[in-house]
Amino acid sequence: MMVQKTKQVEALTSNYAAAYAVKAVDVDVIAVYPITPQTTIIEKLSEFIANGELNAEIIHVESEHSALSAVVGASATGARVFTATSSQGLEFAHEVLHIASGFRLPIVMAVPGRALSAPISIHGDYSDVMNARDTGWVIYIAATAQEVYDTVIQAYKLAESVLLPVMVAYDGFLMSHTMEPVELNDEEEVRSFVPRAARPYTLNPRRPVTMGPLASPDWYYELKYQQVLALREAYKAAAEVDAQYGRRFGRRYGLVEGYRMEDADYAIVVYGGAAYGNAREAADRAREAGIAAGVVRVRLYRPFPTEEVLKALEGVKAFAVVDRAIMFGSPAEGPLYKDIATAMYIHGVDKPALNVIHGIGQRPIYVEDMYKIYAALRENPRRGVVFMGVRI
């Protein structure tokens, strides 16, 4: 007779959820440098190591640039690695982001999003994550602590199958420091789901290879094009990994998530946890007021899920994209809006689409704000950029 194991459910912040997932996949090397709001991830992992719950080498370094460089070196030898950072730390490590993806190393990094200086802000938005969007990393943006836990595990499966680094982002403070119930998987089951496999090329004295040599104009372009192909492969692989995870553990999220989109005339497109929750509540209120409202959440941001986004929005009369980051000087200042507008132009889709910039530096986004967006879409469908919630 099969014995059903009792499910373990813990009240965890998203930072702790990330740490529990890293423990479950049994990493070998963690490199750390503290920065708010990611520091509690590393604190929890240090506790696991000190208690003997995780057998990993933890490297304390002098900067985020060094932290990512350390896991680049460890991953190059074949080790399973993890690091985390936020805000200026991610900016400081920016050049190493390109090195990690160019080396095709399956590094996993958690990033609770935070605003960038100047002026100094320790509060959440996605300015840091969006600055890393074109560095060749796979980027997920999770919306709950449960999803953070599940996505970090999926990230290792994906990273080690397509040989690309993966970033798992979520709301700084609004998720990193708030608790939710999280169902934890049996760790042996997780390790069975993410088995260790030998990579074709690692630094090994018995089989010497060269990593990071000078590439002449004869070959540099071809090597960068291989990254393009790898990210395209990651697009398909991410959907398959999510499906496999769902079959094994009973939870899956898709690359794009929809809420009440079956018959929606007006949609708000969001990323992250707080914006998704408020948008869903606003959609419910809008429906009570006679507006056929829905919400689309982009979970996989890089590679961009063009097909899923276009399908989700194909039936709406108009939509808005709420961005929590600013692309200064761009024709439209919202990064997700620009991605969706580009995808629609390439595929010949023409709809009224509003770009709403909100939540910068953790400026509160209220349900009422989201409701006003639905009302505006119905009353005056148009294109343009709106800086909502700013005092001018």
Side-chain angles (χ1 to χ4, degrees), residues 163-288:
L163 297 182
L164 284 173
V166 180
M167 187 182 304
V168 180
Y170 45 94
D171 294 7
F173 286 108
L174 297 175
M175 291 174 61
S176 65
H177 285 63
T178 57
M179 286 192 171
E180 301 173 72
V182 176
E183 183 179 320
L184 303 177
N185 301 326
D186 178 83
E187 292 189 346
E188 291 305 316
E189 278 290 307
V190 172
R191 292 165 194 176
S192 171
F193 180 73
V194 191
R196 292 177 183 272
R199 279 184 267 145
Y201 301 105
T202 55
L203 295 178
N204 184 338
R206 297 179 179 176
R207 293 183 292 106
V209 297
T210 299
M211 288 190 180
L214 178 70
S216 71
D218 288 345
W219 285 106
Y220 181 85
Y221 191 4
E222 282 70 22
L223 294 169
K224 302 314 289 183
Y225 183 65
Q226 287 183 5
Q227 287 181 244
V228 173
L229 298 180
L231 273 166
R232 289 179 179 175
E233 180 64 25
Y235 184 10
K236 294 179 286 186
E240 179 56 30
V241 167
D242 187 58
Q244 291 175 8
Y245 191 87
R247 289 193 291 271
R248 178 71 71 94
F249 299 107
R251 295 181 298 276
R252 59 179 300 187
Y253 305 89
L255 308 184
V256 169
E257 188 174 15
Y259 179 74
R260 305 192 77 165
M261 285 299 298
E262 297 79 12
D263 60 345
D265 291 329
Y266 306 98
I268 295 178
V269 186
V270 298
Y271 47 86
Y276 188 43
N278 285 349
R280 282 181 297 169
E281 177 66 22
D284 290 342
R285 295 186 188 182
R287 293 255 173 186
E288 292 173 1

Side-chain angles (χ1 to χ4, degrees), residues 126-127 130-131 323-329 333-335 357 360 387:
Y126 282 86
S127 302
M130 292 303 174
N131 270 7
D323 268 298
R324 294 189 60 202
I326 301 173
M327 296 170 58
F328 297 100
E333 283 85 352
I357 310 292
I360 303 302
F387 286 80

Side-chain angles (χ1 to χ4, degrees), residues 264-267 292 313-319 350-353 377-378 381-382:
D265 291 329
Y266 306 98
L313 295 172
E314 66 181 355
V316 303
K317 297 176 181 176
F319 67 94
D350 186 13
K351 290 178 184 286
L377 289 175
R378 184 175 66 170
R382 63 188 176 93

Side-chain angles (χ1 to χ4, degrees), residues 59-120:
I59 306 173
H60 299 272
V61 296
E62 75 283 7
S63 73
E64 294 85 354
H65 187 284
S66 298
L68 191 52
S69 297
V71 293
V72 162
S75 182
T77 69
R80 181 172 281 178
V81 303
F82 175 78
T83 189
T85 190
S86 293
S87 189
Q88 307 303 131
L90 187 59
E91 295 303 301
F92 194 24
H94 192 92
E95 72 163 328
V96 192
L97 294 175
H98 290 273
I99 293 170
S101 59
F103 277 4
R104 305 288 302 277
L105 297 174
I107 296 166
V108 174
M109 176 167 61
V111 180
R114 179 187 137 182
L116 294 174
S117 299
I120 295 173

